[in-house]
């Protein structure tokens, strides 16, 4: 099937040229009987919070449209669910999984908060004693459990035969937990991560057990986003329970607004589609990027196919959203979005080309991802992507190379492969 009866001429044009970056694909060119409607829109925001503010505002203003918000990971949608619910906007979730709320990271954070209320609870300390910087050993925990003493477990630890460094770390941890109990929820989570050393513990777990760092720290970032709109630790715990119930029941609602992953969007169509969180580390994921750098392209090409699926769900309006900061962390816009900017920049109606503002790229016109090219030094290859002044090419003999776009243009090193008659 080579005809798209769903999407506008602009969407099909951009999607066609984007998916050519994939080497392992069927050689087909999608066409559409639909006419020209409106350009693919790209929006870059200062941070993820402003991105979601924009989405909610647009949904409120265009409530009569059949709309979808697409995302890569389930964690990405939780802050949006929070905002939509607070704004009184109903929605349907195709993937109404509440796994996020049962993640062990979420349980850890709640246990830290519970222990800040009452530091005499041995059951909670047993779950978190290895996850903050008081350096409490299993043997010391066993000794505590054998005592029949009430009161602060930190005070009881100081009565044991402890290490010299613990004589400083334990009182410090006790004070930090006491401080947490009087903080706003978002400030409390930041304190757990930084002053109690929870982030450091997670990094060690990533190295030891191979957990994905982006997923672990992403979960913490989501918790902070939810906590920002709560006044107390109790309110935060209640809101998490409330959101869990909302997500669990979202699949039985009827609404013109659908929230779904790229993967589960296959076969669906909407008047308007917002693709959110288009940053490297989410789509493509850090693992996709690492595999790609190691010469394994399967995961990256699957991520590109998901991106393509997302774009072609839209009938009329397609908006691609990115941002510069996720929480306090500086992030890069998705490699895929950069490819789309390059493609859109060569069309008549848009002005999004950003491969390198100081380079005249007219010599590379038509060299979209997927184009067969010849380099004077590396031979035949396929253009994979453009990013931040670089062109990435997979050469038949030399493998993957990231080349300076300016050098390729100024020295005339690159040309399209001539097709045999």
């Amino acid at each position: 099937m080579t005809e798209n009866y769903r999407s506008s001429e602009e969407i099909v044009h951009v999607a066609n040229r984007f998916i050519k970056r994939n080497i392992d694909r069927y050689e087909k060119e999608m066409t559409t009987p639909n006419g020209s409607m409106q350009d693919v829109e790209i929006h870059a925001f200062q941070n993820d919070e402003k991105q979601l503010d924009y989405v909610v505002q647009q949904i409120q203003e265009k409530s009569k449209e059949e709309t979808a918000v697409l995302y890569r990971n389930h964690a990405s949608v939780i802050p949006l669910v929070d905002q939509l619910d607070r704004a009184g906007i109903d929605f349907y979730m195709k993937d109404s999984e509440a796994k996020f709320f049962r993640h062990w990271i979420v349980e850890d954070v709640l246990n830290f908060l519970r222990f800040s209320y009452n530091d005499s609870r041995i059951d909670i300390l047993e779950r978190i004693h290895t996850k903050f910087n008081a350096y409490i050993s299993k043997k010391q925990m066993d000794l505590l459990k054998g005592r029949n003493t009430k009161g602060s477990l930190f005070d009881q630890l100081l009565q044991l035969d402890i290490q010299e460094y613990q004589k400083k770390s334990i009182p410090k941890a006790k004070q930090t937990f006491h401080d947490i109990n009087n903080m706003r929820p978002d400030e409390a989570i930041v304190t757990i991560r930084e002053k109690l050393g929870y982030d450091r513990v997670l990094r060690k777990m990533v190295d030891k057990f191979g957990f994905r760092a982006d997923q672990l720290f992403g979960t913490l970032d989501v918790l902070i986003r939810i906590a920002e709109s709560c006044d107390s630790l109790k309110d935060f715990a209640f809101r998490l329970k409330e959101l869990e119930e909302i997500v669990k029941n979202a699949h039985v609602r009827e609404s013109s607004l659908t929230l779904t992953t790229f993967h589960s969007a296959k076969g669906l169509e909407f008047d308007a589609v917002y693709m959110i969180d288009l940053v490297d580390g989410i789509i493509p994921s850090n693992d996709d990027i690492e595999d790609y750098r190691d010469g394994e392209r399967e995961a990256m090409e699957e991520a590109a196919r998901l991106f393509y699926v997302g774009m072609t769900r839209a009938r009329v309006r397609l908006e691609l959203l990115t941002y510069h900061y996720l929480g306090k962390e500086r992030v890069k816009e998705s490699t895929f979005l950069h490819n789309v900017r390059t493609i859109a920049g060569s069309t008549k109606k848009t002005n999004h080309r950003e491969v390198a503002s100081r380079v005249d790229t007219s010599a590379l016109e038509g060299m979209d991802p997927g184009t067969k090219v010849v380099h004077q030094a590396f031979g035949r290859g396929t253009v994979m992507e453009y990013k931040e002044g670089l062109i990435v090419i997979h050469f038949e003999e030399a493998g993957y190379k990231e080349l300076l776009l300016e050098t390729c243009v100024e020295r005339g090193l690159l040309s399209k492969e001539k097709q045999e008659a």
Side-chain angles (χ1 to χ4, degrees):
M1 182 176 176
T2 59
E3 198 156 18
N4 180 331
Y5 294 96
R6 174 191 318 112
S7 304
S8 70
E9 183 180 292
E10 288 85 354
I11 293 169
V12 171
H13 169 73
V14 171
N16 264 342
R17 293 175 70 180
F18 168 78
I19 201 59
K20 286 181 180 179
R21 59 165 286 133
N22 277 13
I23 294 174
D24 294 334
R25 64 182 180 86
Y26 292 109
E27 288 290 340
K28 65 179 181 180
E29 186 82 11
M30 296 299 292
T31 60
T32 179
N34 302 324
S36 175
M37 296 183 188
Q38 64 184 71
D39 297 322
V40 174
E41 295 184 27
I42 298 173
H43 299 283
F45 300 91
Q46 179 66 15
N47 54 46
D48 56 314
E49 185 175 357
K50 292 188 181 300
Q51 171 198 244
L52 295 188
D53 289 342
Y54 172 80
V55 172
V56 172
Q57 179 187 5
Q58 290 296 301
I59 290 169
Q60 286 176 317
E61 292 177 358
K62 302 178 170 99
S63 57
K64 293 182 180 180
E65 286 185 330
E66 190 177 356
T67 302
V69 180
L70 307 185
Y71 44 91
R72 177 77 184 269
N73 301 319
H74 288 289
S76 295
V77 78
I78 303 301
L80 178 60
V81 168
D82 186 33
Q83 283 195 231
L84 290 171
D85 180 64
R86 291 182 184 278
I89 299 173
D90 203 11
F91 55 88
Y92 163 79
M93 286 184 74
K94 192 169 189 297
D95 321 271
S96 55
E97 295 185 17
K99 289 191 297 185
F100 172 85
F101 303 96
R102 297 187 295 273
H103 196 287
W104 57 269
I105 292 272
V106 177
E107 190 60 27
D108 276 353
V109 169
L110 290 174
N111 279 329
F112 278 114
L113 299 182
R114 291 175 186 127
F115 199 65
S116 76
Y117 277 113
N118 182 358
D119 67 3
S120 67
R121 289 191 57 178
I122 191 75
D123 58 325
I124 295 179
L125 184 60
E126 192 167 21
R127 295 171 194 162
I128 63 172
H129 75 278
T130 61
K131 297 180 179 179
F132 66 98
N133 50 19
Y135 312 107
I136 303 168
S137 68
K138 185 179 184 304
K139 182 179 179 180
Q140 289 168 344
M141 285 301 304
D142 290 340
L143 289 171
L144 283 178
K145 286 190 287 185
R147 294 166 64 98
N148 195 21
T149 309
K150 296 182 179 180
S152 169
L153 292 168
F154 291 120
D155 292 343
Q156 293 182 52
L157 279 165
L158 291 171
Q159 296 169 15
L160 300 177
D161 182 19
I162 59 176
Q163 299 293 328
E164 194 64 31
Y165 59 82
Q166 288 183 292
K167 293 177 182 178
K168 293 181 179 180
S169 64
I170 289 173
K172 192 173 180 180
K174 179 184 178 180
Q175 183 61 50
T176 303
F177 273 99
H178 175 77
D179 294 342
I180 285 172
N181 191 236
N182 297 304
M183 292 178 181
R184 286 185 52 84
D186 54 331
E187 184 185 0
I189 298 172
V190 171
T191 301
I192 290 166
R193 297 180 65 172
E194 297 178 357
K195 287 192 176 181
L196 286 179
Y198 188 56
D199 274 13
R200 178 184 55 79
V201 171
L202 292 183
R203 289 189 187 97
K204 286 186 175 181
M205 295 175 76
V206 167
D207 293 339
K208 185 176 181 179
F209 301 112
F211 294 138
R212 285 182 54 174
D214 56 334
Q215 291 187 353
L216 300 188
F217 293 111
T219 299
L220 287 169
D221 290 336
V222 169
L223 290 176
I224 290 174
R225 284 296 312 278
I226 296 169
E228 287 171 346
S229 57
C230 299
D231 294 326
S232 68
L233 302 184
K234 185 177 180 180
D235 288 342
F236 172 65
F238 177 78
R239 184 58 177 165
L240 285 180
K241 283 290 183 186
E242 196 171 43
L243 287 172
E244 184 176 6
E245 289 303 311
I246 290 169
V247 170
K248 281 181 180 177
N249 297 317
H251 69 287
V252 298
R253 299 176 182 170
E254 291 186 6
S255 174
S256 60
L257 172 61
T258 296
L259 312 181
T260 185
T261 60
F262 295 132
H263 185 269
S264 293
K266 292 178 181 178
L268 305 179
E269 58 183 82
F270 308 90
D271 295 327
V273 167
Y274 299 89
M275 292 169 60
I276 65 171
D277 293 340
L278 303 185
V279 298
D280 278 352
I282 295 180
I283 184 160
S285 71
N286 287 326
D287 284 353
D288 297 337
I289 294 168
E290 285 300 316
D291 287 347
Y292 184 73
R293 286 172 179 163
D294 292 338
E296 299 174 13
R297 64 175 186 268
E298 291 81 6
M300 182 69 89
E301 294 203 350
E302 176 57 25
R305 281 189 286 272
L306 286 176
F307 199 94
Y308 172 84
V309 166
M311 287 193 290
T312 54
R313 298 309 93 198
R315 299 187 190 107
V316 178
R317 188 156 57 84
L318 173 62
E319 298 198 24
L320 310 178
L321 311 183
T322 187
Y323 41 79
H324 304 303
Y325 285 89
L326 177 57
K328 294 181 180 179
E329 182 184 358
R330 176 80 181 184
V331 292
K332 292 182 179 180
E333 77 172 28
S334 170
T335 294
F336 298 155
L337 182 57
H338 195 81
N339 291 164
V340 172
R341 283 186 186 276
T342 305
I343 293 164
S346 65
T347 63
K348 183 178 179 180
K349 294 184 181 180
T350 57
N351 186 29
H352 287 307
R353 195 175 188 101
E354 291 188 358
V355 284
S357 58
R358 60 194 176 93
V359 180
D360 178 8
T361 58
S362 59
L364 301 182
E365 197 66 44
M367 291 190 195
D368 303 318
T371 302
K372 303 293 183 182
V373 295
V374 177
H375 188 277
Q376 288 186 14
F378 300 115
R380 299 170 61 191
T382 304
V383 176
M384 302 305 295
E385 60 182 299
Y386 292 93
K387 60 178 185 179
E388 299 180 354
L390 299 174
I391 182 171
V392 182
I393 302 175
H394 179 256
F395 291 103
E396 292 179 3
E397 295 186 4
Y400 288 88
K401 296 287 183 183
E402 292 185 353
L403 307 176
L404 285 172
L405 193 59
E406 185 174 8
T407 302
C408 290
V409 171
E410 289 182 351
R411 299 184 182 179
L413 299 176
L414 204 60
S415 60
K416 291 178 71 173
E417 182 180 334
K418 293 181 180 179
Q419 302 294 319
E420 295 182 4

